[in-house]
Amino acid sequence: NGGVFSSTLTANYGGGSGTLAGSLGGITFTGTTIHSNGTFDKTFTNSAEIKGQFYGAAADALAGIYYNPANGANDMAFGGAKQ
């Protein structure tokens, strides 16, 4: 992988918890947990992780990282805004 990717992630949130769904750059976000403090994360079976945070008064933006300790070539930072 490498370069710039474009995608749409879907956030489903209510009652203090939620999930992200979709994919970006070949990384599947489906099953990523959104916590009540605005953070989100997912740990894969190979120890790779997605970690991030929602920002803004209405949580209308997000940023985070995907990190795979076994293959750093796939690591990436990402960000986006509500559509």
Side-chain angles (χ1 to χ4, degrees):
N1 286 341
V4 177
F5 304 103
S6 177
S7 184
T8 300
L9 300 177
T10 302
N12 295 299
Y13 185 83
S17 66
T19 58
L20 281 174
S23 64
L24 175 66
I27 307 304
T28 301
F29 281 70
T30 302
T32 301
T33 301
I34 304 171
H35 304 281
S36 62
N37 64 357
T39 62
F40 55 87
D41 57 48
K42 176 179 179 179
T43 301
F44 295 83
T45 57
N46 65 355
S47 299
E49 294 182 281
I50 294 171
K51 291 183 181 260
Q53 172 81 45
F54 282 91
Y55 296 94
D60 52 5
L62 62 76
I65 60 168
Y66 167 80
Y67 172 71
N68 185 342
N71 184 356
N74 292 327
D75 293 355
M76 71 173 152
F78 59 87
K82 184 176 180 180
Q83 295 183 343

